[in-house]
Amino acid sequence: MSAPELAHAPVEPRDGTAREHVRAAVAAGVAALVAAGPGLEDGDDDAVHDARVATRRLRAALGVFDPVLDRERVAPLRTQLRTLGRLLGEVRDPDVERAALLRLLDAEPAELVVGPVRRRVDDDRRAARTAALEHLHAHLASGEHRRLLAALAALAEDLPAGPRADQPAERLLPRRAARAWRRFDAAVDRATALAPGPGRDEALHAARKDARRARYASEVAASAVGSPARRSARRAQAVQAALGDQHDARVRQASLRSVAMQAHLDGENAFTYGRLHALAQVAADAAEREGLVAIERARRGRGWLG
């Protein structure tokens, strides 16, 4: 399905109903997803990123504002979007990690880089991306993906109505966004109650996902509420960024340990991997502290939620 086929689906609300404001958000997400299509075929990393963001926005819009739409018709699309998002992430994440690890190596004094570390890191992350890209391309060529695009295009034009579809957007959208923010608050409370360690890291990662959900919900609500919602969305984005850095650093630690073990088994010196692992730990701890500050800021100024 090509982008011109969606030109008739406006990305601005056509009236003041909640249904129409959500439809407009869906139309913008669908247009972004379809526009990224040609780049996905070429394996372009920017296209993978754009498609992944569009997929997440669509899932959030269809999930947070589900009373506005026909749940039975939309639920299968959310499941398919989750599958697509996972495949896109499996392509995107190794590339981001590879770039981060190579930057760390570039900053190291030459005498502290012992053995073929750059080659191992580069080969390992490139291999992971190549395998993931093959899976993504197989999915994109499938009838399931074409059917998903067709169904999303239909939603972008005419969202199937749910029980609260005709309520005023300025009343319903903030209420639904408030639920997303309460979910985020609960996730933060669970995470911060845990001692440092893998359990806390996993809980912070979950809180980051809920920050993203609250952000996208606020962005949809901003079409009816305006600047207060946009301000909350920016604050949620800051939480998402900091906790994303924390998670990425933890993932780098795991990847470095795996590559180091293989290097050791092959008779190579694993000193440099240990050093990079320690640097990743320092980065993760710093990002967590930054995330906690961002969380406190995000919890302020929510009067618009009612």
Side-chain angles (χ1 to χ4, degrees):
M1 179 174 296
S2 60
E5 293 181 65
L6 295 180
H8 62 283
V11 297
E12 296 293 335
R14 294 174 290 204
D15 60 41
T17 63
R19 174 192 182 189
E20 182 55 24
H21 279 248
V22 175
R23 184 214 58 78
V26 169
V30 173
L33 181 58
V34 173
L40 294 181
E41 295 295 338
D42 296 334
D44 178 75
D45 192 56
D46 287 339
V48 172
H49 172 70
D50 292 346
R52 191 183 191 188
V53 170
T55 299
R56 287 170 166 173
R57 289 182 185 278
L58 285 165
R59 282 185 60 203
L62 297 177
V64 173
F65 302 102
D66 63 342
V68 170
L69 40 88
D70 186 332
R71 295 178 182 179
E72 288 190 9
R73 286 185 57 183
V74 170
L77 302 184
R78 291 177 59 196
T79 300
Q80 294 172 52
L81 285 166
R82 183 181 297 110
T83 297
L84 177 59
R86 175 180 56 79
L87 291 169
L88 291 165
E90 290 172 355
V91 174
R92 170 74 174 167
D93 291 344
D95 203 54
V96 171
E97 188 177 9
R98 170 182 166 273
L101 289 170
L102 293 183
R103 283 195 301 271
L104 281 175
L105 278 170
D106 287 341
E108 286 292 277
E111 65 272 17
L112 297 181
V113 180
V114 182
V117 180
R118 173 177 285 274
R119 176 181 58 78
R120 270 199 182 273
V121 166
D122 192 51
D123 288 351
D124 180 79
R125 294 297 79 199
R126 283 186 185 275
R129 186 182 191 276
T130 297
L133 193 58
E134 290 177 0
H135 294 153
L136 175 63
H137 283 162
H139 180 78
L140 295 177
S142 70
E144 179 183 347
H145 184 67
R146 289 190 293 271
R147 288 190 293 273
L148 172 63
L149 289 181
L152 289 172
L155 292 188
E157 177 58 32
D158 185 21
L159 198 70
R164 302 187 191 178
D166 294 330
Q167 289 194 12
E170 63 185 10
R171 285 170 46 194
L172 180 64
L173 268 55
R175 290 176 184 172
R176 297 304 299 179
R179 290 171 64 93
W181 278 103
R182 288 195 295 270
R183 175 169 159 169
F184 163 72
D185 288 338
V188 167
D189 290 342
R190 285 192 296 271
T192 54
L194 297 173
R200 180 182 173 97
D201 292 336
E202 184 177 345
L204 284 171
H205 183 48
R208 179 214 179 187
K209 293 178 181 179
D210 285 329
R212 183 174 64 220
R213 181 182 176 92
R215 169 194 170 189
Y216 293 156
S218 298
E219 288 176 349
V220 174
S223 64
V225 178
S227 59
R230 284 191 289 271
R231 186 160 49 249
S232 286
R234 288 194 297 270
R235 290 175 176 177
Q237 185 177 13
V239 174
Q240 180 187 341
L243 295 185
D245 289 344
Q246 191 263 2
H247 175 70
D248 289 349
R250 296 298 188 208
V251 170
R252 286 199 297 275
Q253 287 182 268
S255 296
L256 285 164
R257 184 181 186 279
S258 176
V259 176
M261 291 300 293
Q262 187 58 55
H264 173 71
L265 292 173
D266 290 344
E268 296 172 11
N269 191 311
F271 166 80
T272 302
Y273 301 106
R275 178 173 171 81
L276 296 181
H277 186 282
L279 291 173
Q281 180 173 340
V282 169
D285 292 344
E288 181 175 334
R289 290 192 295 272
E290 182 181 342
L292 294 176
V293 172
I295 285 168
E296 290 307 310
R297 178 174 170 79
R299 283 177 150 174
R300 298 196 295 269
R302 296 192 201 164
W304 65 277
L305 293 169

